[in-house]
Amino acid sequence: MEPLRLKANYRCVPSLQQFYTGGPYAVSSDGSFIASACADSIKIVDSANSSIRSTLDGDSESVTALALSPDDKLLFSSSHSRQIRVWDLSTLKCVRSWKGHDGPVMSMACHPSGGLLATGGADRKVLVWDVDGGFCTHFFKGHGGVVSCVMFHPDPKKQLLFSGSDDGGDNATIRVWDVSKTKKKNCIATLDNHRSAVTSIAVSEDGWTLLSAGRDKVVTLWDLHDYSNKKTVITNEAVEAVCVVGAGSPFASSLDSYRQRAKKLAGSQSFYFVTVGERGIVRIWSSESSVCMFEQEASDVTANIDEEGSRRGFTSAVTIASDQGLICVTADQQFLFYSLNLTEELLKLNLTKRLVGYNEEVVDMKFIGDDEKFLALATNLEQIRVYDLASMSCSYVLAGHTEIVLCLDTCVSSSGKSLIVTGSKDNSVRLWESESKSCIGIGIGHMGAVGAVAFSKRKQDFFVSGSSDHTLKVWSLDGLSDNLTVPINLKAKAVVAAHDKDINSVAVAPNDSLVCSGSQDRTACVWRLPDLVSVVVFKGHKRGIWSVEFSPVDQCVITASGDKTIRIWAISDGSCLKTFEGHTSSVLRALFVTRGTQIVSSGADGLVKLWTVKTNECVATYDNHEDKVWALAVSRKTEMLATGGSDALVNLWFDSTAADKEEAFHKEEIGVLKGQELENAVADADYSKAIRIAFELRKPHRLYALLSELCRKQGAEDHVDKALEALGDEELRTLFSYVREWNTKPKFCYVSQFVLFRVFNIFPPTEIVQMKGIGELLEGLIPYSQRHFGRIDRLVRSTFLLDYILSGMSVIDPETQQPEPKAEFLLQSEIDNPDEEQGINENDHTQENAPSKKRKSNKPRQGSHKKVKDVAYNKVESVKLKA
């Protein structure tokens, strides 16, 4: 057995994120990415694995229209604010924006040349804009209602624009506009055949047939030679989208082969088109015979009922120019990718991929199968969605419950089949087989919503369910066979009134001898199987219990409660062995990992925590969710984690302990080598290299020491300039952050100001301002720099006062104009009165030697001394007069 290694860290990989909340979307020409509206933002999604490439933040208003340029480099968007924006997808920046409509823009389309943009709004207007200039080139009026769709003619030489609207009542029109500058009459024709809103328009590949679809359950084919009604196809369903099948596409090839085998020759002008609508099925039609060539047998969509009571299956569809096939969008925010194949003289529509844009609230999840390559999710829906972990696309959907599914569990039967059991608000439990994707058993008997289910661990011959009717039931799996065509009725082997309130969680012991139940009545009970005899009751939690789980190695149970704590209980006597505190809100899930030595928990605070049982220590805390984390699943083999919650986000967590240790060792090794290289560069007085290495090691203190040492040397500017010139934008930004910190302290400000001076000498201010995040750094530099310069100015002014004081104290000789004559006068006075001068000196000497008891006693003597000096100078002047 491998030695037990405690986990220290998990690496989070966001796998399923919300990227589409309904409404407008745009698919790239090659189908590689999708631009979709997600509330007030726009998500650029990779269609291969549904990962979000980038996010474009809007103006806090819901997005109403989206369109891509023909080269997929520009994205056009509009929201309820009526602002039309042009986004550059390479830089993810808004290039330009403008307003023009009096109401929200409901549809938009780009000209095949990419130079014009047409918009249709709720104000009944159709406007054409110059993309580069952002000005209106054409202003079309005439519709009597909301313009629901606009489209340029795919041939750039034919300057035609089509727009459809709902004019109210039983009237809906399509108008053809001339966008060339040669024609004076703008509206060429008005096509009136629909009696309900026009939802979609398309043009055939030859460019001479216009197709229009509406909610009046018909598709109309118009001849663009004379704008007459060529044909009306009755679809018997409200059509949401019509798409023309390209002549060279796999769809067309399969249809041509099918027609040849059926000995139905197609006309030279015939083509195929696809319709989708409220029934949620795909149908392919021939333009020549107006008959349905193919109709999907069963819908892959659960048709929704909108507020008006009408069904809504598909809401839109688009064909991809390459061999991607057909993309259909459902009312529950799913993107379905289809391909058409011909097998044994039958056409078959294959669902190749399903991307779910919005999962709502994830309430439970489990890994499926021995290889655990699939993940089953229970959301606020009646279906179970099963995801492929490799591509994170929804592989299939298990539909059968009539109410929201609240819980699920998975196992691998003795025959090797992967089984799924689900509990729902419809008071029933259902057993599913993942390979056949069908329901094989139904258990009816609970009088309330089933909130917890759990399979047996060893024999997989029964499962347990707990309900809001306070009862616990054990269901037998006897009677299951391989060739079931209809679900069997599951039978309950044992029933017990387990709690006084709703049962939130159940768990089966590893040896199938015990079952534990946790309830809102703040207790957890252990029952002996198969008769459900009470063994022990765990009391101590102050709030309801949300999760229970048996230890895989010890005779104990872990419980998670709404009182923010996790407890481990002994089965033998029902005592509490350990209590884990750390969550700031209710703990919703707690599971054992690392062979029972560690615990992973999730809570209503959006946190996921990793605990060590022996030390009661929280090893790591992860904040990768924005709301309650209801669901937590652990892989049996790799102990990979999966979490989901109210934020509609599913995260996968991988154990990165070994990788982190290896990375830390590698970084330490590199750090030691770089540190030695730094010391060698300093010893060789190669300061440019030393500064560069200090940057690489991210050692601001060592960098300051180098710059401080350089400031004291001659020619420091050359070394500093040479090192700064080699810095990139990111390193320069890091330098500004260091300088900002140094500049806050008067002790370090001289070095920071020196570095700033050299930086602004080397790099132009225009280049510095364009750096990302530089504004915040400069805002932190300015006030402290002003404070430092103010202090220096005050010090300079103080030096003038000091000079004045020292001059007055004769410490500094005053500057005189004629020092030599003055010296001669003093010498002459000394000659004329030697005794008097000697007496003065002696008097001064005695005054210096005599200690003064009081300071004020010196003042008269100092005054007399000054008077004597004055007399001496007067005498000098008198001597000068006598002379």
Side-chain angles (χ1 to χ4, degrees), residues 469-511:
D469 61 4
H470 314 163
T471 62
L472 195 67
K473 290 180 181 286
V474 180
W475 304 84
S476 174
L477 299 184
D478 296 337
L480 296 178
S481 61
D482 296 338
N483 53 359
L484 288 175
T485 57
V486 293
I488 65 172
N489 291 324
L490 302 175
K491 296 180 180 180
K493 295 195 298 184
V495 182
V496 66
H499 293 273
D500 297 331
K501 291 185 179 180
D502 297 358
I503 297 177
N504 293 328
S505 178
V506 293
V508 178
N511 58 1

Side-chain angles (χ1 to χ4, degrees), residues 252-296:
S253 301
S254 299
L255 290 169
D256 289 339
S257 301
Y258 174 73
R259 293 189 66 166
Q260 290 176 3
R261 291 186 182 184
K263 296 182 179 179
K264 295 180 180 180
L265 297 178
S268 59
Q269 299 297 325
S270 65
F271 59 90
Y272 306 106
F273 61 92
V274 179
T275 61
V276 297
E278 62 180 2
R279 293 170 56 190
I281 61 174
V282 178
R283 292 193 288 180
I284 304 176
W285 306 77
S286 171
S287 64
E288 181 187 22
S289 58
S290 300
V291 296
C292 182
M293 298 283 298
F294 170 80
E295 181 174 347
Q296 196 176 6

